[in-house]
Amino acid sequence: MKINLIKESYVNISGNIYDPDFINLANINKEKINFDDNTLFLSSNMKKKLNSQKLEKNDNTIFLFRYDDSYGLIADLDISEYNNENIKCHELVLPDTIQGMIANFHTYNSETAPVFIVHEENIGIEEIIKKREYSKVYDFGNLILYKYDEDNAKNILNLYQSIEKMYVADGHHRLYTTSMLKNKKSMLSCFMSFSDVKILPIHRIIKGIDASSFEKARSFMNNLLSINYDENISKGFVRVTYQQDSFLVKLKEVEEDLFWNNDVYRLNTQIISTAFRILNFSNVEYVLDNFLEVRKKELTNTDVLLEVDALSFDEFTELSKNNCILPPKSTCFMPKFPSFLIFKKYK
């Protein structure tokens, strides 16, 4: 696997830690963040706040990190590995999103959030860190960065050379967009072993369903699928909750299914599109599993909650290796590396 040193990187030493989906791109001029009048998605106050945060420049480095009890690498992925399908994808990319990203990559000059790449091999990053060959430590509490320069960094990257396949956990659109840009040959990336991550389910909420529409959908699910009241969700089942009513729906198995009877694909096709007759998913809300209990308390009388089981690692790798493309929001890998902490200047 071709993973390289980051030629020009910056660490945000302000102490602020942002959500992984906060901001993907920024402009850096004269070693300072520079959101100007061309940035329309941020308020003037937010731009002023972000522009004032201090950066520390690093040349030709990589970063190892400890995030709670998990470990990983931040480095620069050669986009040829994605183009040659050594980085396996599993989720659909949307043309409108790609077009917007292409414009943004031309507008800005620095990546601020790494794409998330996972691999089966255990590199032993915790043991590498214990050797204390890093040149600097950035301590952000439950997240600690270890900077490695030149030879020490290259020795670590050599451990990844023999890995033939890796998998996209998050960042499908950004990788696809980069593959289309002639003058952008790499992508800031976070690499983590399966042993350091978890796959969480992403649940759905259909909004604006009245009682009559729900009863029609329920009748369909009862007659053509099947309904029971077991408490635990497992593969092949979806829990449906509407008002005070909750039950499990057994998804229909599809013979020789291209998607290996994936639950999210069957949820979309058998329940959302067919039982509820919804083809426009603009009224469908996506809820990460770690926010589910909070979101349950906010459900209205016209919300239908659809809960699914998590994808297993075996199912994930099988789907990816067979080039099966799932719907967006099929998987959630945790932990995700924060946004706006490490910047990579790409032009």
Side-chain angles (χ1 to χ4, degrees):
M1 192 65 59
K2 294 180 183 177
I3 305 174
N4 301 314
L5 304 178
I6 309 172
K7 290 183 179 179
E8 184 177 347
S9 66
Y10 297 82
V11 176
N12 185 344
I13 58 175
S14 66
N16 296 295
I17 300 295
Y18 295 95
D19 183 89
D21 299 319
F22 176 54
I23 294 176
N24 291 328
L25 296 171
N27 271 323
I28 294 179
N29 292 324
K30 298 180 180 179
E31 302 186 8
K32 292 183 179 181
I33 302 167
N34 182 30
F35 287 115
D36 57 21
D37 292 341
N38 293 319
T39 299
L40 303 179
F41 65 91
L42 293 172
S43 67
S44 297
N45 286 338
M46 179 58 77
K47 284 189 279 191
K48 183 177 180 180
K49 176 182 177 181
L50 295 177
N51 288 347
S52 68
Q53 294 182 1
K54 293 183 178 181
L55 302 180
E56 185 169 286
K57 185 181 179 183
N58 296 289
D59 293 324
N60 297 314
T61 61
I62 62 170
F63 300 89
L64 299 185
F65 66 86
R66 189 190 76 196
Y67 196 176
D68 291 328
D69 296 323
S70 297
Y71 294 83
L73 162 73
I74 303 293
D76 208 18
L77 174 69
D78 191 314
I79 199 62
S80 67
E81 298 288 8
Y82 176 84
N83 293 335
N84 294 332
E85 298 186 357
N86 296 326
I87 304 292
K88 307 297 289 184
C89 303
H90 68 281
E91 282 192 10
L92 183 69
V93 294
L94 305 177
D96 289 348
T97 302
I98 297 298
Q99 290 183 67
M101 284 188 171
I102 288 174
N104 286 335
F105 271 119
H106 289 303
T107 301
Y108 297 97
N109 68 8
S110 301
E111 298 163 12
T112 70
V115 298
F116 194 177
I117 308 293
V118 293
H119 50 86
E120 297 174 80
E121 296 79 1
N122 190 343
I123 300 299
I125 289 178
E126 182 178 5
E127 297 305 315
I128 297 172
I129 292 172
K130 288 180 179 178
K131 295 179 181 178
R132 298 179 178 272
E133 295 174 340
Y134 43 78
S135 59
K136 187 163 186 175
V137 178
Y138 299 91
D139 192 339
F140 299 99
N142 66 327
L143 173 61
I144 302 177
L145 299 178
Y146 302 88
K147 185 183 78 165
Y148 289 80
D149 301 313
E150 297 294 344
D151 291 341
N152 287 329
K154 291 176 182 177
N155 289 337
I156 293 171
L157 295 183
N158 286 339
L159 300 175
Y160 291 82
Q161 284 187 355
S162 62
I163 299 180
E164 296 181 356
K165 299 293 180 185
M166 292 187 180
Y167 308 90
V168 182
D170 187 63
H172 291 81
H173 288 90
R174 285 177 284 157
L175 283 164
Y176 189 91
T177 301
T178 295
S179 73
M180 298 178 67
L181 299 173
K182 291 182 178 180
N183 297 321
K184 192 170 184 298
K185 303 300 183 182
S186 64
M187 192 80 216
L188 179 68
S189 300
C190 169
F191 302 89
M192 298 183 73
S193 167
F194 280 2
S195 60
D196 282 294
V197 301
K198 295 180 180 179
I199 304 179
L200 301 181
I202 302 179
H203 311 289
R204 272 74 171 152
I205 295 176
I206 309 176
K207 306 180 74 64
I209 302 297
D210 59 37
S212 175
S213 299
F214 180 79
E215 287 305 322
K216 290 179 182 178
R218 180 190 177 112
S219 177
F220 174 90
M221 291 183 284
N222 190 45
N223 293 331
L224 295 181
L225 300 173
S226 67
I227 290 177
N228 64 62
Y229 293 88
D230 293 337
E231 293 186 2
N232 296 323
I233 300 177
S234 59
K235 178 174 167 53
F237 290 86
V238 173
R239 178 182 287 128
V240 179
T241 301
Y242 182 74
Q243 298 177 7
Q244 301 301 315
D245 194 11
S246 184
F247 52 85
L248 291 182
V249 176
K250 188 178 189 307
L251 298 167
K252 184 178 180 180
E253 292 192 11
V254 181
E255 191 173 342
E256 297 181 356
D257 180 23
L258 177 63
F259 297 102
W260 204 29
N261 281 312
N262 173 261
D263 284 1
V264 171
Y265 178 73
R266 290 188 289 169
L267 162 64
N268 285 356
T269 56
Q270 296 177 19
I271 295 182
I272 297 178
S273 295
T274 306
F276 286 94
R277 300 182 179 277
I278 293 174
L279 299 179
N280 182 351
F281 278 47
S282 60
N283 284 336
V284 176
E285 177 186 342
Y286 300 95
V287 182
L288 299 183
D289 190 66
N290 45 350
F291 298 116
L292 179 61
E293 293 307 313
V294 173
R295 188 62 183 86
K296 278 182 177 180
K297 298 176 182 178
E298 303 169 345
L299 293 174
T300 71
N301 285 336
T302 60
D303 288 341
V304 180
L305 172 62
L306 305 171
E307 298 174 63
V308 293
D309 195 21
L311 199 70
S312 69
F313 280 102
D314 288 342
E315 187 177 3
F316 169 75
T317 54
E318 187 70 19
L319 287 165
S320 299
K321 289 176 180 177
N322 289 330
N323 299 316
C324 292
I325 302 301
L326 299 179
K329 306 296 183 183
S330 292
T331 57
C332 175
F333 284 79
M334 296 295 288
K336 289 185 180 180
F337 194 85
S339 167
F340 227 69
L341 183 59
I342 294 179
F343 297 65
K344 186 200 92 175
K345 196 168 185 181
Y346 59 85
K347 70 174 181 178

